[in-house]
Amino acid sequence: MKQVYKSINSNNHLLKLSSLIFGYLFWLILASSQNVNKTFDIPLCFYSLKNNLEIIAPEKIIITVNAKRSDIYNFDLKQAAFANIDASQIQQAGQQKIEIKENDIFLHNRIKLINYYPSTLSIQIKEKK
Amino acid sequence: MYWPDYFNKLMIFQAIDIFEIFVFSFVIYYFSIWLKNDKQKNLLATFYCTLMLFFIAHFANMIALTSLFIIFWPVVLTIFILIHQNTLQKNFIALKKINVAQIIQTSWLEVFMRSSLNALTNNKQVTAIIECKDSLDNYLQSTFKVFAPINKDLLDTLINSENFAQDKMIWVDSEGKIHAINVNWNIKNTNLWFNETNTELDQWQQDSIIFTSKLDAIAFRTYPEKHTVDIIMQGKIISDLTPNNALILLSQLIKKSEIKWKKSEKETHEASVQINKFKQPSA
């Protein structure tokens, strides 16, 4: 252990840097094909809302997905994923609760949805003046 | 939790990924250090070139070459070990002589120097190589083995015998044993060590500089014309010393080598004690 500590503590900065680069590249080769979970927030949209109503709701929801590391990297999830909720059932103003279903969240078919939060949205409906 | 965006750009999505990268880096770094410390043949460049080739093959989508590397990696590693087995063995097993603890007697050096001075009066030059802690078995070739403690009569007999070749070396060790006479450096086995030649120096000086730069051996030669002594150690040459100064310097160098070796032995012992402690199951 003493020798190991000594070698780490030595001043071989170039060797350390090159080992870090090679270590990263090695890891990348092995890890890029592995499935990983990633949690991030996606924008929340509503469609088919009656013209005389307006919605006050959170702008984003948090989702956790599982996919290949390279797929998560290649598809910019913050851009490519979103939740689109049908608001045609909303008829009148007031406080309402809407359940988000899995089908409401749009993802690339190579990316699997694991979890999302919140599953029920509390929204405020107002009439347009 | 805050996660920097540049980590995402490097495909690093979790803290555990950083740990994994450090594990890979540490293994590569430790292996590199091990290769770098090789005194004989530095395989670090070969290792890095192989890694580079592998990464280039992978990231440039050279499928056949990448497959070759991945599938035949154990074969490549075995071939690598087979080709460099001698070098690698020397890393695993420190080729040091194992001696029982004893007080280093340097009085043999005076006897040796006296016999060398006697040889000078007979117009004979004497070249000697003193083996310290690095074994010279692989690096010297001799036809006349002796293996006897140094004494004046024996040395005088050997130096004055018809079989004694002046241009060759006498192989002695730091404990005062004479191993062989008419010894040459075994250049064939170690021709990859060094390619440069210095035409201003004699062949034995060139060879001795090469070998002493890698080993802790000390070479010296007495010159009958000038009555001087040249000493070569650690790849450096000290010329035109008086016999008395040469004797003092040689004694100091041998003692210094012994102290250095004892220090490294102590460190190795402490490390092995620590490892044994670690290995012992808890009661």
Side-chain angles (χ1 to χ4, degrees):
Chain A
M1 284 304 281
K2 203 175 177 183
Q3 281 181 333
V4 172
Y5 175 75
K6 233 180 191 178
S7 68
I8 293 169
N9 216 18
S10 63
N11 290 326
N12 294 314
H13 297 306
L14 196 65
L15 213 59
K16 282 177 187 170
L17 184 69
S18 54
S19 301
L20 191 66
I21 293 167
F22 284 136
Y24 167 70
L25 292 174
F26 237 126
W27 172 86
L28 192 62
I29 289 170
L30 296 173
S32 59
S33 58
Q34 285 171 348
N35 279 28
V36 288
N37 286 356
K38 181 152 172 66
T39 301
F40 54 97
D41 43 27
I42 56 166
L44 181 66
C45 312
F46 292 89
Y47 66 95
S48 301
L49 183 67
K50 283 190 174 175
N51 286 339
N52 63 331
L53 298 175
E54 64 178 16
I55 296 175
I56 300 166
E59 287 181 355
K60 287 176 178 178
I61 63 164
I62 298 163
I63 64 166
T64 303
V65 295
N66 179 276
K68 271 188 182 178
R69 192 183 293 273
S70 54
D71 287 340
I72 291 179
Y73 178 77
N74 290 333
F75 304 116
D76 188 358
L77 293 175
K78 284 188 179 175
Q79 305 284 329
F82 60 96
N84 208 4
I85 293 162
D86 184 4
S88 60
Q89 304 297 319
I90 301 167
Q91 300 293 335
Q92 57 192 21
Q95 186 82 20
Q96 295 206 18
K97 288 196 172 178
I98 292 181
E99 195 185 341
I100 303 172
K101 292 165 196 154
E102 266 192 51
N103 293 342
D104 296 331
I105 298 167
F106 289 86
L107 290 168
H108 192 277
N109 55 9
R110 279 200 233 162
I111 296 162
K112 193 177 155 191
L113 182 68
I114 301 289
N115 196 12
Y116 55 94
Y117 177 83
S119 56
T120 308
L121 274 177
S122 182
I123 58 170
Q124 183 79 35
I125 311 293
K126 279 185 179 177
E127 275 188 28
K128 278 184 186 172
K129 287 174 186 174
Chain B
M1 195 185 91
Y2 171 73
W3 191 253
D5 198 42
Y6 51 82
F7 277 155
N8 288 334
K9 284 178 181 163
L10 291 168
M11 281 203 208
I12 301 167
F13 301 134
Q14 306 159 67
I16 200 80
D17 296 343
I18 296 171
F19 174 74
E20 282 184 341
I21 291 167
F22 271 108
V23 170
F24 278 103
S25 304
F26 175 74
V27 171
I28 292 172
Y29 174 68
Y30 199 67
F31 188 61
S32 306
I33 289 280
W34 184 66
L35 290 177
K36 198 188 170 193
N37 287 342
D38 194 310
K39 287 179 183 174
Q40 269 198 30
K41 197 187 281 179
N42 205 320
L43 300 175
L44 186 63
T46 316
F47 174 61
Y48 273 24
C49 285
T50 315
L51 278 183
M52 289 283 281
L53 192 65
F54 173 61
F55 292 134
I56 289 167
H58 180 82
F59 291 111
N61 280 330
M62 298 178 194
I63 298 161
L65 202 57
T66 310
S67 306
L68 183 87
F69 268 109
I70 292 169
I71 297 165
F72 292 102
W73 188 245
V75 179
V76 172
L77 196 67
T78 312
I79 292 169
F80 184 85
I81 290 167
L82 279 175
I83 292 171
H84 302 294
Q85 59 173 319
N86 286 335
T87 311
L88 295 170
Q89 273 168 11
K90 276 166 196 158
N91 282 337
F92 279 121
I93 308 154
L95 202 64
K96 304 285 181 193
K97 293 188 298 165
I98 298 161
N99 299 310
V100 288
Q102 55 185 322
I103 300 158
I104 294 293
Q105 300 283 341
T106 49
S107 57
W108 64 267
L109 204 56
E110 288 169 33
V111 174
F112 194 94
M113 202 50 89
R114 211 173 300 141
S115 293
S116 304
L117 291 173
N118 280 348
L120 291 183
T121 56
N122 296 331
N123 237 13
K124 275 190 175 180
Q125 70 177 17
V126 174
T127 313
I129 180 80
I130 303 171
E131 181 186 57
C132 293
K133 292 301 165 193
D134 289 331
S135 172
L136 296 180
D137 288 343
N138 286 346
Y139 312 114
L140 293 173
Q141 53 187 16
S142 61
T143 49
F144 200 115
K145 302 218 185 233
V146 182
F147 287 114
I150 289 173
N151 65 66
K152 194 176 179 305
D153 293 337
L154 174 68
L155 268 175
D156 289 345
T157 310
L158 288 171
I159 291 170
N160 293 323
S161 77
E162 284 179 4
N163 292 322
F164 180 72
Q166 286 186 64
D167 54 328
K168 294 185 177 175
M169 297 185 290
I170 301 174
W171 176 6
V172 294
D173 66 25
S174 58
E175 281 124 40
K177 276 190 194 130
I178 180 161
H179 285 235
I181 62 166
N182 300 347
V183 175
N184 275 330
W185 288 115
N186 194 359
I187 301 290
K188 280 179 195 168
N189 282 354
T190 48
N191 55 356
L192 287 172
W193 278 25
F194 202 80
N195 295 322
E196 292 169 33
T197 49
N198 189 338
T199 47
E200 287 173 12
L201 299 171
D202 296 341
Q203 190 59 45
W204 87 272
Q205 286 176 324
Q206 289 182 31
D207 296 342
S208 301
I209 285 172
I210 295 165
F211 282 91
T212 57
S213 66
K214 307 286 179 185
L215 305 162
D216 64 354
I218 306 160
F220 70 90
R221 174 175 276 187
T222 57
Y223 290 97
E225 313 89 42
K226 302 183 280 181
H227 278 244
T228 56
V229 181
D230 281 3
I231 296 176
I232 299 174
M233 44 84 201
Q234 293 166 6
K236 291 169 196 159
I237 182 163
I238 303 168
S239 304
D240 299 330
L241 289 166
T242 62
N244 197 33
N245 286 343
L247 182 64
I248 294 165
L249 183 60
L250 285 170
S251 308
Q252 285 173 348
L253 289 171
I254 291 167
K255 276 179 187 164
K256 203 174 163 186
S257 163
E258 180 66 20
I259 290 163
K260 202 175 165 187
W261 181 76
K262 273 183 180 164
K263 203 176 164 188
S264 72
E265 277 288 286
K266 199 181 166 189
E267 282 175 3
T268 314
H269 175 72
E270 280 170 3
S272 65
V273 167
Q274 289 296 323
I275 289 164
N276 285 340
K277 269 186 191 172
F278 185 71
K279 277 180 182 173
Q280 276 172 2
S282 56

